[in-house]
Amino acid sequence: MNKTQIQDFAKRISGTRSGPANERVKAVVDRMLFDLFVLIDEMDVTPEEFWAACSYVTELGKSNEIGLLVPGLGVEHFLDLRQDEKERAAGMEGGTPRTIEGPLYVAGAPVCQGEARLDDDTDDGEILFMDGRVLDSRGNPIPGAQVEVWHANSRGNYSYFDPSQSAFNLRRTIIADAEGRYRFRSIMPSGYSCPPDGPTQTLLTLLGRHGHRPAHIHFFVSAPGYRTLTTQINIKDDPYVHDDFAFATRDGLIPDVAHHTEPAALHDMGVNRPFATITFDFTLPAAVDSIPGTLGERPRAAA
């Protein structure tokens, strides 16, 4: 078909109304349909291929894996890149890099003042102590900043989604102290992979790609008057740290990890097995009225 035929058909659909429309939704759907028609025509998509794609999308929804496929195709990271450009255009510079939220946040984690113990002491993984400060763009501490943290256990599973774990295991909200400092004890997380028989991995395999993520720790960091930060740090020695299927690794989000086995160090920290330490500071730029908040509305689990 030529482009005029496609445009005429798309206009016919766009012009069909039986009542008031949401103009924003209509504009997006009209454009999406036109682009889809062009793609089907230019790629010579067969009816069998089209209905196979429809069945795939149905299975994706049934499996609740949309939150996996979106980052796996780079879409969630693309949204971050667009937000970066908006902030640069508005003169907002600096700050800790953002990266994807992912699909495994759960609202309502217990709130702790200054420091927290994240794990429930049932995981025999390497003990982890992490600390740092929340700073403004000039390096001044932000007292009372809120640091929400969540991560997987040593098997790559998240509480709430993994019913074998206790409620809010490896999830806390820490209120920074007067020096903007936060600290917590936990266990070293493991990376995880897409379910091998799920629809996300099915598509990734067709694309010649793996579905592995490096070990990482998620954060929301916020304070009144500052840009809310959605980010995650990656564990430096993970084999997938620079090959994340979700494209979430960014420069500035791979802190050094120190591993400790000395008996004196174990004694000083009050532990009976080797542990690791990470220090990482978060920097929050001042909020800009013309830039929407970075913690966008989206479906999120709540316990």
Side-chain angles (χ1 to χ4, degrees), residues 285-301:
V288 175
D289 290 341
S290 61
I291 299 296
T294 60
L295 194 60
E297 291 295 326
R298 58 180 281 186
R300 293 183 175 93

Side-chain angles (χ1 to χ4, degrees), residues 181-205:
R181 186 170 295 280
Y182 72 93
R183 57 183 66 83
F184 62 81
R185 172 180 168 173
S186 191
I187 54 96
M188 185 67 75
S190 172
Y192 65 84
S193 302
C194 297
D197 298 323
T200 300
Q201 187 57 59
T202 295
L203 180 57
L204 292 175
T205 299

Side-chain angles (χ1 to χ4, degrees), residues 26-47:
K26 179 172 170 48
V28 171
V29 172
D30 287 349
R31 172 61 184 272
M32 180 183 69
L33 283 172
F34 175 72
D35 289 345
L36 178 61
F37 295 157
V38 172
L39 181 148
I40 290 171
D41 190 60
E42 291 184 351
M43 300 293 293
D44 194 21
V45 175
T46 67

Side-chain angles (χ1 to χ4, degrees), residues 90-103:
M92 185 184 291
E93 296 290 343
T96 300
R98 66 162 49 82
T99 194
I100 68 170
E101 174 183 334

Side-chain angles (χ1 to χ4, degrees), residues 25-109:
V25 172
K26 179 172 170 48
V28 171
V29 172
D30 287 349
R31 172 61 184 272
M32 180 183 69
L33 283 172
F34 175 72
D35 289 345
L36 178 61
F37 295 157
V38 172
L39 181 148
I40 290 171
D41 190 60
E42 291 184 351
M43 300 293 293
D44 194 21
V45 175
T46 67
E48 291 79 11
E49 289 173 329
F50 176 80
W51 289 111
C54 291
S55 295
Y56 174 82
V57 172
T58 299
E59 183 60 30
L60 189 70
K62 288 181 179 179
S63 301
N64 196 27
E65 288 194 14
I66 292 175
L68 277 178
L69 185 62
V70 167
L73 294 180
V75 178
E76 192 168 1
H77 183 57
F78 178 73
L79 296 175
D80 284 343
L81 295 177
R82 290 194 73 245
Q83 189 69 24
D84 288 346
E85 291 304 317
K86 287 182 179 180
E87 291 179 0
R88 288 191 190 96
M92 185 184 291
E93 296 290 343
T96 300
R98 66 162 49 82
T99 194
I100 68 170
E101 174 183 334
L104 299 169
Y105 170 78
V106 178

Side-chain angles (χ1 to χ4, degrees), residues 144-183:
Q146 180 171 283
V147 180
E148 293 186 72
V149 53
W150 70 100
H151 66 79
N153 65 9
S154 63
R155 298 167 184 81
N157 298 320
Y158 285 75
S159 62
Y160 181 88
F161 302 95
D162 171 15
S164 72
Q165 297 186 48
S166 60
F168 292 113
N169 187 41
L170 308 176
R171 302 177 185 272
R172 290 295 185 274
T173 296
I174 304 170
I175 307 302
D177 65 18
E179 298 177 346
R181 186 170 295 280
Y182 72 93
R183 57 183 66 83

